[in-house]
Amino acid sequence: MHDDVKAYRTYEEQVDLLAGRGMAIGDRGKAIATLQRVNYYRLSGYWYPFRQLVGGNRVDDFYPGTSLDDVVALYEFDVRLRAATFSVLAPIELALRAHLGHELGRVDPCAHLDPDLLGPTVRKGNSYRKWLEGYEAELSRSREDFVAHHHDKYGGRSQFGQR
């Protein structure tokens, strides 16, 4: 085994490791169930600020009073916050995409295939070329009926950069 790869640990060993570093575990069975459900490494980002800061570096030991329940509460708050944020932002994103697609379609139904129609930022560097290669690859892999229909009906005008 390589030294740079962390050793496998059972859930029980993970709980022991946290407890050994000073985290209050509470109900051991509940702690194991939490690690099984959420994952040690996902939670590690939430307990990171609870790790002691020594000489400007985070060490493995936790500040006194750190509990797994508090870490899990922070994680669950973040999950709820993300869900609430996404539920509010998703319709806004959809509306922006709809308006953008509509207005670009007014200029040219295939404006996305002509970088000259998309402004100077698109023409800088090779990011547009990379995007176009990815777009073409996705189209060629697609098994969606609407993609095949569009290709058949419009002769591939908007597929693979053909204009």
Side-chain angles (χ1 to χ4, degrees), residues 112-113 118 126-136:
H112 60 290
L113 299 175
L118 300 176
N126 64 355
S127 60
Y128 177 78
R129 181 187 54 76
K130 286 182 178 180
W131 174 85
L132 186 60
E133 288 171 2
Y135 169 79
E136 291 170 348

Side-chain angles (χ1 to χ4, degrees), residues 3 9 12 36 55 58 64-65 67 69 71 83 87 90 94 106 108 112 122 130 132 136-137 140 142 144 146 149 160:
D3 288 340
R9 294 182 194 276
E12 293 80 3
Q36 290 171 333
R58 296 282 175 187
S67 74
D69 286 342
V71 171
S87 70
L94 183 58
R106 182 190 320 265
D108 183 330
H112 60 290
V122 171
K130 286 182 178 180
L132 186 60
E136 291 170 348
S140 69
S142 177
E144 298 287 345
F146 73 91
H149 166 77
F160 309 115

Side-chain angles (χ1 to χ4, degrees), residues 6 17-18 20-23 40-67 71 74:
K6 291 185 178 185
L17 182 65
L18 294 172
R21 292 177 175 173
M23 183 180 287
Y40 180 97
Y41 294 102
R42 176 171 293 276
L43 286 176
S44 70
Y46 295 89
W47 68 54
Y48 183 82
F50 296 100
R51 290 172 47 186
Q52 292 182 25
L53 191 59
V54 176
N57 296 312
R58 296 282 175 187
V59 297
D60 291 335
D61 294 328
F62 294 102
Y63 286 109
T66 300
S67 74
V71 171
L74 182 59

Side-chain angles (χ1 to χ4, degrees), residues 15 18 22-28 30-35 43 47 65-75:
V15 169
L18 294 172
M23 183 180 287
I25 298 304
D27 180 329
R28 184 174 175 80
K30 181 180 168 188
I32 290 169
T34 298
L35 293 176
L43 286 176
W47 68 54
T66 300
S67 74
L68 183 59
D69 286 342
D70 288 343
V71 171
V72 171
L74 182 59
Y75 162 76

Side-chain angles (χ1 to χ4, degrees), residues 141-162:
R141 282 193 298 268
S142 177
R143 300 293 175 249
E144 298 287 345
D145 291 340
F146 73 91
V147 173
H149 166 77
H150 188 271
H151 184 266
D152 293 343
K153 182 164 177 117
Y154 299 104
R157 180 166 184 257
S158 65
Q159 190 173 12
F160 309 115
Q162 299 171 1

